[in-house]
Amino acid sequence: MTIKTHRLLNATALATILAVLLVALLTIIGEEYAPLKNWLKNTFSHHWLGKSELSIALFGVTTLLVYFIGKDTVSSVKMVWAALVATVLSAGAMCIFFALHLLHLV
Amino acid sequence: MNSFTTLMLVAHVIFGLFGVAAIHFAYMQLIRSHPPYRLVTWSAWSSVFLFFTSWITGAYYYVVYYGASVKPVILAGDYPWAHQFFMEAKEHVFILIPFLAIVSALGAHALGHHETSELKRAVSWTMLLTILLGIGVAASGILISGAVR
Amino acid sequence: MDWDQTLTLMHIIGTVLGVGGATFIEVYLINALRDGTVSPEETTIMQTSYNILRIGFLLLIISGFGFLILGRLTEHNQWFYSLQFWTKLAIVGIIGMNAALLQLHRMPLIWGSAIAFTSWYAALILGVLRKSHFPIYWVVGVYLVSIVIIYLILRTLHRRYTPHMPS
């Protein structure tokens, strides 16, 4: 694997971890804390567009930063697994939250 | 629903479906003993493009039409949980898929340069998760559409 | 030809290619393994059959989603909540999962063949009988029993005709 490919893969994996966690946090906290959801609505015209645009922005900025100033010592394999685990946790947390919300438990 | 909104809904479903099909194809090629990496990478990048296109077209339908015209019908119908759980979960889980597809595509690209069994395993599981999330989102879409009556 | 007819035609072609492909793969597999080795010609025939089956699978999925879109747009969507429809969807999912497990060598060949063969025919039969309503446990029960019966038949055929085959 070339250094550039290795760096880019690590950068996007880390960016994915941050983006998916941001989506879960904005979603769950936004449902529980109305001012956050209102801020997303007022700023981006719709809360879902806010989550979409902020996650893309965070993904893009993180990828660029890590690619240009990151170190090459981290294993790509570990980073890809970490991205996968973060996605499972994010999706799982949101599904569990909405299931609990449906049952009026949160 | 006017014809442009209809077009956006149809495009959202078709691009999403083809996105899942493309990443599924990439996965099936990747798990072969001698994967054709150029084909795997090309197919995985196609899925990235298709997922982003599905995201944009779905955003139009969801923001412009769904909230005002579909959501109230579902909530007043026999299956309000189709919105309360499936739509809420679907619309947010969907956002995760394109990012995971990018990691899959870059992982396939990296494997094409230098194959290691550890990275192949990690990338194949990433692709499999992308497929499973895509199927989950599609199945939720069917339940949501069926609740509009 | 309207959308409904176009999609029906696609769905039928997809099913024909899928069921036909699954059937021919079993026949070719037993035939190819009779002498214990698979020749390049036999490999080509098998690959062609797999490609036909894949095209059938893709057509089936595309036309299936076409019906869903059409149902949503025409508000003819009551069948979206039919258990028989979800059983058919689950069987299509099993076909895809079984193919991946076979590719990964995590599924014994004869069990994988039995699952693929039965699932394709089950999808065909459920499609034909979509207007009849059977209890869901009955449908699932018949499907599972059929897999076991097909497995026993295939195992008998392989023992008889392909004694060299590694299990």
Side-chain angles (χ1 to χ4, degrees):
Chain A
M1 194 188 319
T2 63
I3 294 292
K4 274 185 181 177
T5 314
H6 170 77
R7 256 196 202 178
L8 193 57
L9 181 57
N10 279 359
T12 50
L14 181 64
T16 298
I17 294 168
L18 296 179
V20 300
L21 293 178
L22 177 74
V23 173
L25 287 174
L26 288 176
T27 303
I28 295 170
I29 298 172
E31 291 296 325
E32 293 298 298
Y33 180 66
L36 175 62
K37 198 169 180 177
N38 290 337
W39 175 78
L40 287 168
K41 273 183 203 169
N42 297 335
T43 313
F44 299 94
S45 80
H46 195 287
H47 71 92
W48 184 79
L49 286 180
K51 291 164 198 166
S52 299
E53 288 168 28
L54 285 174
S55 62
I56 290 175
L58 181 63
F59 181 87
V61 170
T62 310
T63 300
L64 289 174
L65 280 178
V66 177
Y67 181 72
F68 287 111
I69 59 170
K71 292 175 183 170
D72 297 321
T73 50
V74 187
S75 149
S76 294
V77 177
K78 281 185 184 163
M79 289 304 294
V80 173
W81 279 116
L84 186 140
V85 171
T87 310
V88 171
L89 289 176
S90 170
M94 290 191 288
C95 289
I96 291 169
F97 174 78
F98 284 116
L100 294 174
H101 206 258
L102 176 70
L103 300 168
H104 304 291
L105 294 173
V106 286
Chain B
M1 201 176 344
N2 65 35
S3 48
F4 187 72
T5 312
T6 305
L7 183 69
M8 290 294 106
L9 172 62
V10 174
H12 166 63
V13 175
I14 290 176
F15 284 123
L17 176 66
F18 278 93
V20 175
I23 197 76
H24 180 258
F25 182 74
Y27 173 74
M28 291 302 286
Q29 296 300 316
L30 181 66
I31 61 176
R32 289 169 66 170
S33 30
H34 301 289
Y37 280 115
R38 277 189 70 171
L39 187 62
V40 175
T41 309
W42 186 87
S43 187
W45 279 118
S46 306
S47 82
V48 172
F49 169 76
L50 290 160
F51 285 135
F52 270 99
T53 317
S54 179
W55 195 351
I56 294 163
T57 49
Y60 181 86
Y61 169 78
Y62 176 63
V63 172
V64 173
Y65 187 77
Y66 179 87
S69 305
V70 181
K71 184 177 155 185
V73 178
I74 297 177
L75 291 178
D78 293 334
Y79 311 100
W81 46 264
H83 172 83
Q84 291 164 336
F85 177 74
F86 285 100
M87 187 60 190
E88 293 283 12
K90 173 191 185 273
E91 73 189 48
H92 293 106
V93 170
F94 181 92
I95 301 175
L96 317 182
I97 295 175
F99 299 126
L100 210 55
I102 292 175
V103 175
S104 302
L106 276 169
H109 179 72
L111 281 165
H113 282 94
H114 179 70
E115 187 187 64
T116 67
S117 59
E118 293 85 5
L119 186 61
K120 187 179 169 185
R121 201 171 137 83
V123 174
S124 63
W125 275 96
T126 308
M127 285 185 182
L128 183 61
L129 180 62
T130 315
I131 298 166
L132 293 177
L133 290 178
I135 291 172
V137 164
S140 301
I142 298 170
L143 285 172
I144 296 156
S145 295
V148 190
R149 46 177 126 152
Chain C
M1 198 154 55
D2 62 19
W3 279 109
D4 190 54
Q5 288 169 321
T6 309
L7 291 170
T8 305
L9 188 64
M10 265 177 85
H11 214 63
I12 291 171
I13 293 172
T15 311
V16 167
L17 295 181
V19 172
T23 310
F24 275 102
I25 283 166
E26 290 317 312
V27 175
Y28 287 139
L29 189 66
I30 292 171
N31 211 26
L33 290 170
R34 281 180 90 152
D35 55 1
T37 53
V38 182
S39 68
E41 291 80 15
E42 287 166 338
T43 306
T44 308
I45 292 172
M46 292 288 290
Q47 279 300 332
T48 309
S49 301
Y50 276 115
N51 286 339
I52 287 172
L53 189 140
R54 284 177 191 130
I55 292 168
F57 190 68
L58 189 66
L59 282 176
L60 203 65
I61 301 277
I62 294 170
S63 54
F65 270 84
F67 281 124
L68 286 163
I69 294 171
L70 202 61
R72 167 72 182 87
L73 295 177
T74 56
E75 297 188 5
H76 174 63
N77 56 358
Q78 291 77 10
W79 56 277
F80 287 19
Y81 275 66
S82 141
L83 274 178
Q84 212 158 306
F85 161 67
W86 282 93
T87 310
K88 195 179 164 189
L89 273 188
I91 288 171
V92 172
I94 289 169
I95 291 173
M97 206 164 61
N98 183 51
L101 289 171
L102 278 168
Q103 187 95 295
L104 287 163
H105 303 288
R106 294 286 164 90
M107 174 69 77
L109 183 63
I110 302 179
W111 271 112
S113 295
I115 292 169
F117 188 84
T118 312
S119 300
W120 272 105
Y121 276 90
L124 167 72
I125 293 165
L126 282 174
V128 171
L129 300 177
R130 65 187 178 282
K131 284 179 182 155
S132 318
H133 296 284
F134 300 105
I136 202 66
Y137 57 83
W138 193 85
V139 175
V140 174
V142 170
Y143 171 66
L144 293 175
V145 170
S146 302
I147 289 176
V148 176
I149 292 171
I150 296 294
Y151 166 75
L152 293 172
I153 293 171
L154 287 176
R155 196 181 66 169
T156 309
L157 287 171
H158 277 281
R159 277 187 181 168
R160 184 162 177 180
Y161 295 109
T162 65
H164 313 284
M165 188 185 85
S167 55

